[in-house]
Amino acid sequence: MDKENIIEWFEQGSVSIPKLLMNHYAQLGLNEIEFMTLMHIHAALEGGNSFPTPVELSSKMSISSTACMETLRSLIQRGFLTIEQHHDQSSMITETYSLKPLWEKLIYFMMKETQHKTAETQQQ
Amino acid sequence: MDKENIIEWFEQGSVSIPKLLMNHYAQLGLNEIEFMTLMHIHAALEGGNSFPTPVELSSKMSISSTACMETLRSLIQRGFLTIEQHHDQSSMITETYSLKPLWEKLIYFMMKETQHKTAETQQQ
Amino acid sequence: MDKENIIEWFEQGSVSIPKLLMNHYAQLGLNEIEFMTLMHIHAALEGGNSFPTPVELSSKMSISSTACMETLRSLIQRGFLTIEQHHDQSSMITETYSLKPLWEKLIYFMMKETQHKTAETQQQ
Amino acid sequence: MDKENIIEWFEQGSVSIPKLLMNHYAQLGLNEIEFMTLMHIHAALEGGNSFPTPVELSSKMSISSTACMETLRSLIQRGFLTIEQHHDQSSMITETYSLKPLWEKLIYFMMKETQHKTAETQQQ
């Protein structure tokens, strides 16, 4: 192992996951495979790859690309993930994943939690 | 929803996961449930809770506390996690989790990868 | 350099700074020394040290402990930082820094920005 | 303020800064303006903007674009930052910033620190 490798490892950087999401994904109805699929998409998006394939995603996971495809389909169907279509300069259509619905669900959940707590406090 | 809540959400902050680990946990032999168990411990350690219980961990996961206990046992047995014992001021023994073995395995894996690549390059 | 050191470096982890804050601290009226003072407090708080001294903070900065003390005083006076007093079990008073006012200012700023943009759009 | 804004703020995500760098940038010879200039470049690189202009950088800082240009020149001269030239598909030359020299300096510094400590331990 030489210095060159360690620099490369450092350069790769980190993925930041809000604690709010870490603490509540299960309550949103996500299991660990679904959550990690979304986090791999999150990392890909941040790294400039806006439409990672099931093969790419599953290469970093413990599931097959077929299982990954199934997971993606389910996440889209259940409103955690969307595919956005963009027209680029040459009027080709490009597709990108968006995690906006995930943040939306999280914030909606937190709002309900807060209202619930407020209601409880007022009843006491 | 008022400003107070949003401030609280911001204050919670984020958990940083090195991309090196995100990209290679599966190759280290971890599935998503095992990986997330370690990441919840990582978040607890950073937050000052050095020995989260299976009940605490599973409350943020899609698995039961019994399944979580099993996962912890397996992670310790397979050398991804250790429990360290410390004597505090009043000579009581306190236990804390340490993720040192995880980082050790990751770096060892990266070193082998690098050697492998170097060997391949030299053969060409 | 051996494996042991690299593991230690990895174990130290990262500090996450919201891009919202990175992009707008200057507009909030903070210069780089003030911003970094707050970020060192942020890192200390996350690491369980809730009241770092000017000597501790300045040891990681390019400024003297006297200049650091001045900066802290100014940040408190201008409402970016507060000191909270807590009574611990033995009824001793302990002091901790809180960055709540910083998040408050940031969110207030973002809200105003949004209203401004909305108003502009409606006028068009 | 509505839900839409908060979702946008969440979507922006965070910048991760290794604690190793947070704790030692001053010892590497960087002041806070220089460090933050590098961190703004780090954030831009992660976000896919590989050659932010002094105007872009200074718009997020408390310094003018002229002062920013001076800082960039000094950082390059002192070996904290490099500009890499790439030939793209249409054989145009594109320039990108690289923070590799920063990580290199950091790791070199940590290695020296370690050797120093080891030497001290052996002398005792």
Side-chain angles (χ1 to χ4, degrees), chain B residues 7-24:
Chain B
I7 293 168
E8 248 175 62
W9 302 344
F10 262 89
E11 265 194 305
Q12 289 200 24
S14 299
V15 178
S16 286
I17 303 179
K19 281 198 193 145
L20 211 59
L21 184 60
M22 277 286 278
N23 293 342
H24 298 288

Side-chain angles (χ1 to χ4, degrees), chain B residues 32-49:
Chain B
E32 276 67 29
I33 287 178
E34 292 163 343
F35 178 67
M36 282 309 297
T37 305
L38 294 171
M39 289 308 97
H40 283 295
I41 292 175
H42 176 55
L45 287 172
E46 279 206 343
N49 177 5

